Short mmCIF file of all heavy atoms in Angstrom, two decimals:
data_model
loop_
_atom_site.label_atom_id
_atom_site.label_comp_id
_atom_site.label_asym_id
_atom_site.label_seq_id
_atom_site.Cartn_x
_atom_site.Cartn_y
_atom_site.Cartn_z
N ARG A 85 180.20 141.48 100.19
CA ARG A 85 180.80 141.59 101.52
C ARG A 85 180.70 140.27 102.31
O ARG A 85 181.14 140.22 103.46
CB ARG A 85 180.15 142.72 102.30
CG ARG A 85 180.54 144.06 101.71
CD ARG A 85 180.19 145.21 102.60
NE ARG A 85 180.72 146.43 102.00
CZ ARG A 85 180.61 147.62 102.56
NH1 ARG A 85 179.96 147.76 103.70
NH2 ARG A 85 181.13 148.68 101.97
N ASP A 88 184.36 138.57 102.73
CA ASP A 88 185.38 139.50 102.22
C ASP A 88 186.42 139.80 103.28
O ASP A 88 187.17 140.76 103.19
CB ASP A 88 184.73 140.79 101.72
CG ASP A 88 184.22 141.65 102.88
OD1 ASP A 88 183.96 141.09 103.97
OD2 ASP A 88 184.09 142.87 102.70
N ASP A 89 186.48 138.97 104.35
CA ASP A 89 187.48 139.10 105.40
C ASP A 89 187.30 140.38 106.22
O ASP A 89 188.25 140.97 106.71
CB ASP A 89 188.90 139.05 104.81
CG ASP A 89 189.91 138.48 105.81
OD1 ASP A 89 189.46 137.96 106.85
OD2 ASP A 89 191.11 138.57 105.56
N ASP A 92 180.94 142.15 109.19
CA ASP A 92 179.88 143.15 109.14
C ASP A 92 178.70 142.79 110.02
O ASP A 92 177.98 143.67 110.47
CB ASP A 92 179.38 143.30 107.69
CG ASP A 92 180.43 143.91 106.79
OD1 ASP A 92 180.67 145.13 106.92
OD2 ASP A 92 181.04 143.18 105.97
N SER A 125 187.95 131.27 114.31
CA SER A 125 189.33 131.61 114.67
C SER A 125 190.30 130.50 114.30
O SER A 125 191.51 130.70 114.37
CB SER A 125 189.42 131.88 116.18
OG SER A 125 189.10 130.71 116.90
N ARG A 126 189.79 129.36 113.90
CA ARG A 126 190.69 128.27 113.52
C ARG A 126 190.90 128.19 112.01
O ARG A 126 191.57 127.28 111.52
CB ARG A 126 190.18 126.95 114.08
CG ARG A 126 190.26 127.02 115.59
CD ARG A 126 189.81 125.84 116.34
NE ARG A 126 189.64 126.26 117.74
CZ ARG A 126 189.11 125.54 118.69
NH1 ARG A 126 188.68 124.32 118.41
NH2 ARG A 126 189.00 126.02 119.90
N ILE A 127 190.31 129.16 111.29
CA ILE A 127 190.53 129.19 109.84
C ILE A 127 191.90 129.83 109.59
O ILE A 127 192.22 130.90 110.12
CB ILE A 127 189.44 130.04 109.15
CG1 ILE A 127 188.07 129.41 109.41
CG2 ILE A 127 189.72 130.16 107.66
CD1 ILE A 127 186.92 130.29 108.99
N ASP A 133 192.48 121.57 111.28
CA ASP A 133 191.36 121.18 112.13
C ASP A 133 190.36 120.29 111.40
O ASP A 133 189.84 119.34 111.96
CB ASP A 133 190.63 122.42 112.66
CG ASP A 133 191.48 123.17 113.67
OD1 ASP A 133 191.60 122.68 114.79
OD2 ASP A 133 192.05 124.21 113.31
N TYR A 345 213.00 106.92 147.03
CA TYR A 345 212.81 107.70 148.24
C TYR A 345 212.17 106.92 149.34
O TYR A 345 211.28 106.14 149.10
CB TYR A 345 212.09 109.03 147.99
CG TYR A 345 213.12 109.93 148.39
CD1 TYR A 345 214.05 110.31 147.45
CD2 TYR A 345 213.42 110.08 149.74
CE1 TYR A 345 215.17 110.97 147.85
CE2 TYR A 345 214.54 110.70 150.11
CZ TYR A 345 215.43 111.14 149.18
OH TYR A 345 216.51 111.77 149.54
N ASP A 368 211.26 123.12 159.71
CA ASP A 368 210.79 122.90 158.35
C ASP A 368 210.97 121.51 157.81
O ASP A 368 211.00 121.31 156.62
CB ASP A 368 211.52 123.85 157.40
CG ASP A 368 211.68 125.19 158.04
OD1 ASP A 368 210.66 125.78 158.35
OD2 ASP A 368 212.82 125.59 158.28
N TYR A 371 208.05 120.96 156.02
CA TYR A 371 207.86 122.10 155.16
C TYR A 371 207.04 121.78 153.93
O TYR A 371 207.33 120.80 153.24
CB TYR A 371 209.24 122.57 154.76
CG TYR A 371 209.22 123.84 154.03
CD1 TYR A 371 209.04 125.03 154.70
CD2 TYR A 371 209.35 123.83 152.65
CE1 TYR A 371 209.02 126.20 154.01
CE2 TYR A 371 209.32 125.01 151.97
CZ TYR A 371 209.16 126.19 152.65
OH TYR A 371 209.14 127.36 151.97
N LYS A 372 206.05 122.57 153.68
CA LYS A 372 205.27 122.47 152.44
C LYS A 372 204.67 121.12 152.16
O LYS A 372 204.54 120.76 151.01
CB LYS A 372 206.13 122.83 151.22
CG LYS A 372 205.98 124.29 150.86
CD LYS A 372 206.41 124.50 149.46
CE LYS A 372 206.50 126.00 149.23
NZ LYS A 372 207.16 126.33 148.03
N PRO A 458 193.61 113.07 139.62
CA PRO A 458 193.76 114.28 138.81
C PRO A 458 193.97 115.51 139.67
O PRO A 458 194.67 116.43 139.30
CB PRO A 458 192.48 114.38 138.01
CG PRO A 458 191.56 113.33 138.52
CD PRO A 458 192.34 112.39 139.38
N SER A 459 193.34 115.54 140.80
CA SER A 459 193.52 116.65 141.70
C SER A 459 193.81 116.00 143.03
O SER A 459 193.35 114.89 143.29
CB SER A 459 192.23 117.45 141.76
OG SER A 459 192.41 118.61 142.50
N ARG A 460 194.59 116.68 143.86
CA ARG A 460 195.00 116.07 145.10
C ARG A 460 193.78 115.64 145.91
O ARG A 460 192.85 116.42 146.12
CB ARG A 460 195.82 117.07 145.91
CG ARG A 460 196.48 116.44 147.07
CD ARG A 460 197.98 116.40 146.86
NE ARG A 460 198.65 116.19 148.15
CZ ARG A 460 198.95 114.99 148.59
NH1 ARG A 460 198.66 113.93 147.86
NH2 ARG A 460 199.56 114.84 149.75
N ASP B 288 212.58 131.90 151.17
CA ASP B 288 211.42 131.12 150.76
C ASP B 288 210.43 131.14 151.94
O ASP B 288 210.53 130.33 152.84
CB ASP B 288 211.86 129.70 150.44
CG ASP B 288 210.70 128.81 150.06
OD1 ASP B 288 209.56 129.30 149.98
OD2 ASP B 288 210.94 127.61 149.82
N ASP B 422 190.94 124.14 123.87
CA ASP B 422 190.33 124.21 122.54
C ASP B 422 188.83 124.00 122.62
O ASP B 422 188.05 124.69 121.98
CB ASP B 422 190.96 123.16 121.63
CG ASP B 422 192.36 123.56 121.22
OD1 ASP B 422 192.69 124.75 121.37
OD2 ASP B 422 193.12 122.69 120.78
N LYS B 477 219.96 116.84 143.47
CA LYS B 477 219.86 115.63 144.28
C LYS B 477 221.23 114.94 144.40
O LYS B 477 221.89 114.69 143.39
CB LYS B 477 218.86 114.67 143.64
CG LYS B 477 218.59 113.41 144.46
CD LYS B 477 217.54 112.56 143.74
CE LYS B 477 217.33 111.21 144.42
NZ LYS B 477 216.51 111.30 145.62
N TRP B 508 213.47 119.52 147.88
CA TRP B 508 212.52 118.56 147.29
C TRP B 508 213.10 117.16 147.09
O TRP B 508 212.44 116.17 147.39
CB TRP B 508 211.97 119.06 145.96
CG TRP B 508 211.17 120.32 146.03
CD1 TRP B 508 211.36 121.43 145.28
CD2 TRP B 508 210.05 120.62 146.88
NE1 TRP B 508 210.44 122.40 145.61
CE2 TRP B 508 209.63 121.94 146.58
CE3 TRP B 508 209.38 119.90 147.86
CZ2 TRP B 508 208.56 122.54 147.22
CZ3 TRP B 508 208.31 120.51 148.51
CH2 TRP B 508 207.91 121.81 148.19
N PHE B 554 215.45 123.56 153.10
CA PHE B 554 214.39 123.29 154.08
C PHE B 554 214.92 123.21 155.50
O PHE B 554 214.27 123.64 156.44
CB PHE B 554 213.66 121.98 153.75
CG PHE B 554 212.84 122.04 152.49
CD1 PHE B 554 212.36 120.88 151.91
CD2 PHE B 554 212.52 123.26 151.89
CE1 PHE B 554 211.59 120.92 150.75
CE2 PHE B 554 211.76 123.32 150.73
CZ PHE B 554 211.30 122.15 150.16
N ASP B 622 204.68 132.26 146.39
CA ASP B 622 203.58 131.41 146.84
C ASP B 622 202.53 132.21 147.60
O ASP B 622 202.48 132.20 148.83
CB ASP B 622 204.13 130.27 147.70
CG ASP B 622 205.07 129.38 146.89
OD1 ASP B 622 205.05 129.50 145.64
OD2 ASP B 622 205.82 128.59 147.49
N LEU B 683 199.57 121.77 144.86
CA LEU B 683 199.27 120.35 144.69
C LEU B 683 198.01 119.91 145.43
O LEU B 683 197.26 119.07 144.96
CB LEU B 683 200.48 119.58 145.23
CG LEU B 683 200.52 118.06 145.11
CD1 LEU B 683 200.69 117.66 143.66
CD2 LEU B 683 201.70 117.52 145.93
N ASP B 684 197.79 120.48 146.59
CA ASP B 684 196.69 120.02 147.44
C ASP B 684 195.35 120.66 147.12
O ASP B 684 194.37 120.39 147.80
CB ASP B 684 197.01 120.29 148.91
CG ASP B 684 198.01 119.28 149.45
OD1 ASP B 684 198.04 118.16 148.91
OD2 ASP B 684 198.75 119.62 150.39
N ARG B 687 191.31 120.87 141.35
CA ARG B 687 191.60 121.37 140.01
C ARG B 687 190.84 122.65 139.75
O ARG B 687 189.73 122.83 140.23
CB ARG B 687 191.20 120.33 138.96
CG ARG B 687 192.02 119.07 139.03
CD ARG B 687 193.45 119.30 138.63
NE ARG B 687 193.59 119.28 137.20
CZ ARG B 687 194.37 118.42 136.53
NH1 ARG B 687 195.06 117.51 137.16
NH2 ARG B 687 194.48 118.49 135.23
N ARG B 819 191.17 139.30 116.24
CA ARG B 819 190.89 137.90 115.88
C ARG B 819 191.62 137.00 116.85
O ARG B 819 192.73 136.53 116.58
CB ARG B 819 191.34 137.63 114.46
CG ARG B 819 190.68 138.57 113.47
CD ARG B 819 191.10 138.27 112.05
NE ARG B 819 190.42 139.20 111.15
CZ ARG B 819 190.39 139.07 109.83
NH1 ARG B 819 191.02 138.05 109.27
NH2 ARG B 819 189.75 139.95 109.09
N ARG B 821 192.79 133.92 118.66
CA ARG B 821 192.87 132.52 118.26
C ARG B 821 193.39 131.67 119.40
O ARG B 821 193.50 132.12 120.53
CB ARG B 821 193.77 132.41 117.04
CG ARG B 821 193.28 133.26 115.85
CD ARG B 821 194.06 132.88 114.64
NE ARG B 821 193.86 133.73 113.48
CZ ARG B 821 193.30 133.31 112.34
NH1 ARG B 821 192.82 132.08 112.25
NH2 ARG B 821 193.20 134.11 111.30
N ARG B 822 193.72 130.42 119.06
CA ARG B 822 194.14 129.46 120.08
C ARG B 822 195.36 129.89 120.87
O ARG B 822 195.51 129.59 122.03
CB ARG B 822 194.53 128.16 119.38
CG ARG B 822 193.54 127.09 119.50
CD ARG B 822 194.13 125.85 118.90
NE ARG B 822 193.98 125.89 117.47
CZ ARG B 822 193.32 124.96 116.79
NH1 ARG B 822 192.79 123.93 117.40
NH2 ARG B 822 193.21 125.06 115.50
N ASP B 919 184.86 153.08 103.39
CA ASP B 919 183.53 153.08 104.00
C ASP B 919 183.67 153.32 105.48
O ASP B 919 184.67 152.92 106.10
CB ASP B 919 182.86 151.72 103.77
CG ASP B 919 182.25 151.66 102.40
OD1 ASP B 919 181.77 152.70 101.92
OD2 ASP B 919 182.28 150.57 101.80
N ARG B 932 185.95 151.19 107.79
CA ARG B 932 185.83 149.78 107.42
C ARG B 932 186.92 149.36 106.45
O ARG B 932 187.05 149.92 105.37
CB ARG B 932 184.46 149.57 106.77
CG ARG B 932 184.18 148.13 106.44
CD ARG B 932 182.90 147.99 105.62
NE ARG B 932 182.53 146.60 105.48
CZ ARG B 932 183.11 145.76 104.60
NH1 ARG B 932 184.07 146.18 103.80
NH2 ARG B 932 182.72 144.49 104.54
N LYS B 933 187.70 148.43 106.89
CA LYS B 933 188.65 147.71 106.05
C LYS B 933 189.50 148.60 105.14
O LYS B 933 189.44 148.47 103.91
CB LYS B 933 187.88 146.69 105.20
CG LYS B 933 188.72 145.50 104.83
CD LYS B 933 187.98 144.55 103.94
CE LYS B 933 188.91 143.44 103.50
NZ LYS B 933 188.35 142.68 102.40
#
Side-chain angles (χ1 to χ4, degrees):
Chain A
R85 290 193 174 181
D88 72 337
D89 209 11
D92 292 287
S125 64
R126 294 180 195 172
I127 299 170
D133 290 286
Y345 243 87
D368 321 299
Y371 188 77
K372 266 200 191 167
S459 187
R460 190 111 162 92
Chain B
D288 178 3
D422 287 342
K477 185 178 174 77
W508 297 129
F554 292 166
D622 297 346
L683 184 70
D684 283 333
R687 294 292 278 240
R819 303 182 180 192
R821 302 191 189 245
R822 256 187 279 239
D919 279 326
R932 185 188 189 281
K933 208 183 175 193

